[in-house]
């Protein structure tokens, strides 16, 4: 089984690009388009990592991260936050919520997957080979 990555992103262009890049590298990608859907999907599929947009409908990324890290079922899943805010306080809040990684939009297609893999547990290679 391939490692699962959950992408929570409401912008279709960004969602498409991130999904494309991760699938091309062999990951199984699940998509959510708002914060609540993302939370529910995270509990259900237990992804190896979550890519989390901050500006999201229903629940924003700060709240999603907070709830994921409060829940024993999901607290160990690494979160890489993606934000278009260049504001320092946003970054501080993201890290305070327990997100393991942080990147700013626009994402760089040449380095996106490598950046994600820095935070991916080593037990979760793209092909899921545990041997
Ligand atoms: Mn957004």
């Amino acid at each position: 089984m391939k490692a699962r990555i959950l992408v929570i992103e409401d912008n279709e262009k960004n969602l498409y690009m991130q999904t494309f890049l991760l699938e091309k590298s062999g990951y199984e990608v699940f998509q959510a388009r708002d914060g609540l859907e993302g939370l529910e999907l995270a509990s259900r599929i237990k992804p190896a990592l979550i890519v989390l947009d901050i500006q999201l409908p229903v629940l924003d990324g700060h709240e999603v991260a907070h709830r994921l890290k409060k829940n024993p079922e999901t607290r160990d899943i690494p979160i890489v936050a993606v934000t278009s805010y260049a504001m320092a306080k946003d970054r501080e809040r993201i890290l305070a919520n327990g997100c393991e990684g942080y990147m700013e939009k626009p994402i760089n297609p040449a380095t996106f997957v490598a950046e994600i893999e820095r935070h991916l547990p080593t037990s979760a290679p793209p092909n899921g080979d545990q041997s």
Side-chain angles (χ1 to χ4, degrees), residues 24-42:
K24 199 174 71 167
S25 293
Y27 295 101
E28 184 181 14
V29 178
F30 291 74
Q31 301 179 329
R33 290 170 172 79
D34 70 61
L36 194 58
E37 187 193 358
L39 266 184
E40 288 167 355
L41 205 50

Side-chain angles (χ1 to χ4, degrees), residues 14 22 26 32 41 54 66 75 77 91 94 109 119 122 127 130:
N14 293 335
L22 289 166
L41 205 50
I54 293 301
H66 179 71
R75 73 158 57 117
I77 303 170
R91 185 196 166 102
I94 285 163
H119 301 284
T122 49
N127 61 9
Q130 302 291 319

Side-chain angles (χ1 to χ4, degrees), residues 4-69:
R4 295 173 162 183
I5 294 183
L6 171 60
V7 178
I8 310 176
E9 168 65 75
D10 64 317
N11 178 290
E12 287 297 330
K13 248 177 79 179
N14 293 335
L15 184 59
Y16 176 84
M17 177 58 68
Q18 294 178 22
T19 301
F20 172 79
L21 293 168
L22 289 166
E23 285 183 343
K24 199 174 71 167
S25 293
Y27 295 101
E28 184 181 14
V29 178
F30 291 74
Q31 301 179 329
R33 290 170 172 79
D34 70 61
L36 194 58
E37 187 193 358
L39 266 184
E40 288 167 355
L41 205 50
S43 290
R44 198 162 76 232
I45 68 168
K46 301 288 187 328
L49 182 145
I50 297 170
V51 183
L52 176 65
D53 181 32
I54 293 301
Q55 275 189 294
L56 285 170
V58 190
L59 287 180
D60 74 10
H62 294 297
E63 185 61 26
V64 172
H66 179 71
R67 294 193 193 186
L68 286 168
K69 293 304 182 186

